[in-house]
Amino acid sequence: MAKERAYNPILHKRLAALIYAADSGALLSFLDSLSHSSFRSVGTILSLHILPELSEEQYWSLCYDLCDYNSKAFLVTFLKAVPARLSKDGFHLEHPGFLRLCAYWHERQCEIDKRKFFLYIFPLLTRPEQAEAMIRGLAFSHVEEILELLLRCELTLLGGFVLFQTLRQLEHERKRLYQCCVYLMKRGDSLSFNLVSFFKSYFDLSDLKGTFSLRLTTYQLGYMEKSFDAFSRMLQGS
């Protein structure tokens, strides 16, 4: 019963027609006219059936319009479509549409939306240039905020690399470095422990207690600064 309510082919057809016509006024009027049940169905139809197929220009333009209309209802809907769009190379954080959305968030001080976007999207990214574009666009006020968000995300190799680059900006704050390492060790996975082992050597955290299997030479420590690929190989012991 829930699935039947979630997908409505007539609603899908009408919604798609308005979106492809690029008539935002008519689209918003249509959304205003829907019942509560139909309005909830719109999110499912968008994320599963319409958003993955839009051009990137259409995707970002619609994201802007619907987040301006009701961000609480629609931002996550757009984020749910990102894995499908990434698989088709249809999601780029250098796109003018993303920068326009960021400018809107800055102007309206939509910090919750910026944080939600980061937490959902960052674990899906695989290359440093993607992370750099997102952090540059979202333009958080303090590097400490980026650090907090990185630690909340599922840890990936890219996440470890960006965390390393972030901590380099805070390397004079020894207490914060220790706290970050302790937090990672509590996660208990091998990637977190290898990362802590690297941080302990690189930042000279000699008082940090723990048993680590990863051993890195001084040459390797310096080499890991130079590229994400080198960082990944060394951190995985390959």
Side-chain angles (χ1 to χ4, degrees):
M1 191 69 180
K3 289 184 178 180
E4 292 177 6
R5 186 169 60 247
Y7 180 73
N8 180 325
I10 297 175
L11 182 59
H12 181 175
K13 183 176 180 179
R14 178 60 177 154
L15 195 59
L18 290 168
I19 290 170
Y20 282 105
D23 188 340
S24 59
L27 174 61
L28 299 185
S29 295
F30 175 66
L31 293 174
D32 283 338
S33 73
L34 295 176
S35 67
H36 180 66
S37 177
S38 293
F39 190 86
R40 285 189 293 128
S41 297
V42 164
T44 301
I45 292 169
L46 281 172
S47 62
L48 294 181
H49 303 286
I50 296 179
L51 295 179
E53 306 303 324
L54 295 180
S55 71
E56 193 156 13
E57 183 66 36
Q58 290 170 321
Y59 173 86
W60 287 117
S61 178
L62 186 62
C63 184
Y64 182 94
D65 288 341
L66 293 189
C67 285
D68 183 41
Y69 168 71
N70 188 337
S71 179
K72 187 175 181 180
F74 286 108
L75 178 56
V76 171
T77 295
F78 280 83
L79 298 181
K80 286 180 178 178
V82 171
R85 295 195 62 85
L86 280 170
S87 70
K88 300 177 182 180
D89 195 32
F91 184 84
H92 297 90
L93 296 165
E94 305 88 354
H95 195 280
F98 172 63
L99 299 180
R100 179 180 177 230
L101 184 62
C102 287
Y104 170 87
W105 284 337
H106 300 330
E107 181 183 347
R108 303 292 181 91
Q109 298 183 327
C110 301
E111 296 304 312
I112 292 176
D113 287 344
K114 288 167 59 177
R115 292 168 66 86
K116 187 180 296 183
F117 187 94
F118 186 101
L119 290 170
Y120 199 102
I121 298 301
F122 186 83
L124 304 176
L125 306 181
T126 56
R127 299 299 304 170
E129 56 269 24
Q130 294 173 313
E132 290 167 8
M134 184 168 71
I135 291 171
R136 185 169 59 248
L138 294 175
F140 293 107
S141 301
H142 305 287
V143 66
E144 291 84 359
E145 188 172 6
I146 298 173
L147 176 62
E148 183 247 324
L149 290 170
L150 287 169
L151 291 174
R152 287 181 59 188
C153 288
E154 176 186 351
L155 185 62
T156 63
L157 283 170
L158 177 60
F161 183 70
V162 177
L163 182 59
F164 168 48
Q165 299 296 343
T166 303
L167 288 176
R168 290 180 70 189
Q169 300 177 58
L170 300 167
E171 60 182 323
H172 58 286
E173 298 187 28
R174 309 294 289 177
K175 183 178 179 180
R176 194 179 296 275
L177 295 176
Y178 276 96
Q179 289 173 336
C180 176
C181 289
V182 170
Y183 182 87
L184 288 170
M185 286 191 291
K186 287 180 178 179
R187 287 186 165 186
D189 60 276
S190 60
L191 180 57
S192 294
F193 270 93
N194 283 354
L195 196 59
V196 172
S197 179
F198 167 55
F199 289 163
K200 179 177 180 178
S201 298
Y202 185 89
F203 295 113
D204 191 25
L205 304 176
S206 55
D207 294 337
L208 185 67
K209 305 301 181 185
T211 303
F212 308 102
S213 59
L214 183 67
R215 296 287 185 269
L216 297 167
T217 66
T218 302
Y219 168 78
Q220 288 174 314
L221 293 175
Y223 191 57
M224 289 172 76
E225 294 179 357
K226 300 185 183 303
S227 76
F228 171 57
D229 292 334
F231 174 90
S232 299
R233 288 194 300 272
M234 297 297 182
L235 203 65
Q236 296 177 100
S238 58

